[in-house]
């Protein structure tokens, strides 16, 4: 990945793409996100997402919920969360409000407990703490490429069971009874279990990506104990610092990432301050393993 700024002129305005870290992430300036962007500009954004895995836009204060939804439709078909209702007054927005206990401080790829999990996530900063509340993304394609050959060969053969019935409380510090109740009643209102290949082929770039994160319950054919040990080894390769980029939010920021090629972690270090971000996800395809098999949802239980 080149560390040289990329510039392009479209509609008489200069667009600048500036890489943020060596293996992942770029900040794009010169674009005002809206549903009025032309096809050429949308294609430019798409190509940047695929290349850099996550792209950052500052100062998009003009966007409200309706504007975010309208823009999202230019990138594909927005989808609601499988279990959490959309924010009141919106069609697709998934709101994360720290005052309700929405602090996703563990590494994950969005909604991998279903088969066709989202391809893009579009996140807008609404209320941001004065300090803290950064988000970190990891490049799962770079992680695969840098695995030792023996581990890569093993990962190529593995399948994992993903579920939304993961240990929510264990992954969070000082979880409130209200937040735990909200999780039990809403997030797991329908239980899913889906088998995904640990290595899947990206449908647009052709890259091989590791598919893990906190929704993994165990590996198919392995015991819970062995799964936990192996998961730790592979997951640590994904989140090594060289594969990551960290973003310090400001209100009005919009971040778009390729959910098929990343994991992310929202850092819970802002105490009692409030943090509100609003996300829209774009429908994706069922992952395909390197031997051509597709992911399968094994259980849906209300």
């Amino acid at each position: 990945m080149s560390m040289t700024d990329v510039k392009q002129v479209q509609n008489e305005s200069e667009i600048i793409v500036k890489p943020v870290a060596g293996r992942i992430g770029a900040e794009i300036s010169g674009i005002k996100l809206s549903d009025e962007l032309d096809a050429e500009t949308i294609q430019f954004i798409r190509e940047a997402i695929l290349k850099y895995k996550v792209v950052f836009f500052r100062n998009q204060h003009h966007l409200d919920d309706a504007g975010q939804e309208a823009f999202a439709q230019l990138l594909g078909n927005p989808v609601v969360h499988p279990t959490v209702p959309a924010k009141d007054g919106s069609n697709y927005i998934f709101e994360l409000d720290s005052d309700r206990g929405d602090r996703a401080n563990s590494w994950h790829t969005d909604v991998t407990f279903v088969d066709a999990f989202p391809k893009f996530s579009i996140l807008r900063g609404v209320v941001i703490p004065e300090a803290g509340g950064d988000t970190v993304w990891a490049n799962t394609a770079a992680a695969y490429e840098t695995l030792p050959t023996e581990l890569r060969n093993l990962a190529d053969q593995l399948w994992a069971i993903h579920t939304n019935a993961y240990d929510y409380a264990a992954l969070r510090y000082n979880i409130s009874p209200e937040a735990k109740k909200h999780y039990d009643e809403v997030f797991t209102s329908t239980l899913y279990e889906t088998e995904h290949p640990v290595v899947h082929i990206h449908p647009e770039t052709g890259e091989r990506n590791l598919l893990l994160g906190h929704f993994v319950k165990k590996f198919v054919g392995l015991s819970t104990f062995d799964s936990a040990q192996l998961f730790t080894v592979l997951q640590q390769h994904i989140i090594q610092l060289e594969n990551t980029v960290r973003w310090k939010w400001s209100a009005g920021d919009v971040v778009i990432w390729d959910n098929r090629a990343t994991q992310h972690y929202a850092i819970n270090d802002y105490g009692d301050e409030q943090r509100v971000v609003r996300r829209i996800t774009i429908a994706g395809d069922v992952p395909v393993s390197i031997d051509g098999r597709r992911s399968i949802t094994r259980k849906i239980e209300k």
Side-chain angles (χ1 to χ4, degrees), residues 202-229:
H202 193 290
E204 295 184 74
T205 67
E207 293 177 314
R208 295 185 179 189
N209 291 266
L210 291 171
L211 179 53
L212 292 169
H214 72 204
F215 293 119
V216 170
K217 178 180 180 180
K218 67 186 294 290
F219 294 115
V220 176
L222 297 182
S223 69
T224 301
F225 176 82
D226 288 341
S227 293
Q229 312 309 307

Side-chain angles (χ1 to χ4, degrees), residues 4 7 27 49 153 209 214-215 235:
T4 303
K7 300 183 180 182
E27 182 175 352
I49 297 168
N153 292 340
N209 291 266
H214 72 204
F215 293 119
Q235 180 68 17

Side-chain angles (χ1 to χ4, degrees), residues 1-298:
M1 183 181 297
S2 171
M3 294 304 294
T4 303
D5 290 1
V6 180
K7 300 183 180 182
Q8 181 162 339
V9 176
Q10 295 183 355
N11 296 333
E12 300 181 355
S13 63
E14 186 175 65
I15 298 172
I16 301 176
V17 181
K18 184 176 182 180
V20 178
R23 293 183 181 172
I24 179 174
E27 182 175 352
I28 300 179
S29 58
I31 295 179
K32 181 178 180 180
L33 299 177
S34 78
D35 63 342
E36 297 180 356
L37 292 175
D38 59 34
E40 185 182 5
T41 304
I42 292 298
Q43 182 61 26
F44 180 85
I45 293 172
R46 280 180 175 278
E47 290 174 359
I49 297 168
L50 294 178
K51 178 178 180 180
Y52 295 102
K53 316 306 182 193
V54 54
V55 295
F56 308 98
F57 299 85
R58 293 283 195 192
N59 301 315
Q60 304 294 315
H61 300 282
H62 58 282
L63 281 181
D64 55 11
D65 291 350
Q68 184 180 359
E69 291 192 324
F71 164 72
Q73 292 180 41
L74 298 181
L75 291 176
N77 297 318
V79 289
V80 296
H81 191 277
T83 60
V84 181
K87 175 181 175 289
D88 287 347
S90 74
N91 295 312
Y92 304 106
I93 287 178
F94 178 72
E95 182 175 73
L96 294 159
D97 184 343
S98 62
D99 283 0
R100 293 199 309 260
D102 297 332
R103 300 177 183 233
N105 54 317
S106 58
W107 284 102
H108 65 288
T109 296
D110 285 334
V111 201
T112 59
F113 50 86
V114 301
D115 52 6
F117 60 88
K119 65 178 180 179
F120 296 145
S121 291
I122 304 162
L123 192 64
R124 175 168 59 99
V126 179
V127 178
I128 303 300
E130 183 176 353
D134 298 357
T135 304
V136 186
W137 285 264
N139 182 337
T140 59
Y144 177 83
E145 285 299 320
T146 55
L147 279 178
T149 301
E150 291 77 8
L151 271 181
R152 194 185 311 154
N153 292 340
L154 174 59
D156 286 344
Q157 304 172 52
L158 291 172
W159 284 66
I161 300 170
H162 294 236
T163 179
N164 57 328
Y166 71 104
D167 195 346
Y168 175 84
L171 292 169
R172 283 152 176 80
Y173 171 73
N174 198 25
I175 184 72
S176 70
E178 294 79 10
K180 181 65 167 63
K181 183 172 184 289
H182 175 76
Y183 171 80
D184 290 338
E185 292 181 353
V186 179
F187 195 83
T188 56
S189 56
T190 300
L191 294 176
Y192 293 85
E193 283 194 1
T194 297
E195 290 183 14
H196 288 300
V198 169
V199 179
H200 73 100
I201 306 298
H202 193 290
E204 295 184 74
T205 67
E207 293 177 314
R208 295 185 179 189
N209 291 266
L210 291 171
L211 179 53
L212 292 169
H214 72 204
F215 293 119
V216 170
K217 178 180 180 180
K218 67 186 294 290
F219 294 115
V220 176
L222 297 182
S223 69
T224 301
F225 176 82
D226 288 341
S227 293
Q229 312 309 307
L230 185 52
F231 174 87
T232 297
V233 171
L234 293 173
Q235 180 68 17
Q236 287 301 315
H237 277 276
I238 292 174
I239 63 175
Q240 68 180 27
L241 291 179
E242 290 83 355
N243 293 331
T244 66
V245 63
R246 179 167 175 161
W247 186 251
K248 179 173 177 54
W249 287 90
S250 297
D253 288 356
V254 172
V255 183
I256 308 173
W257 64 92
D258 188 339
N259 195 52
R260 303 159 295 184
T262 57
Q263 286 187 27
H264 59 282
Y265 185 114
I267 300 173
N268 180 13
D269 61 349
Y270 47 94
D272 294 331
E273 289 193 65
Q274 188 181 23
R275 180 182 185 272
V276 179
V277 292
R278 293 177 184 159
R279 188 187 79 197
I280 297 175
T281 52
I282 303 299
D285 302 312
V286 177
V288 178
S289 69
I290 62 173
D291 61 3
R293 290 181 290 159
R294 295 182 179 273
S295 303
I296 301 172
T297 295
R298 295 295 188 186

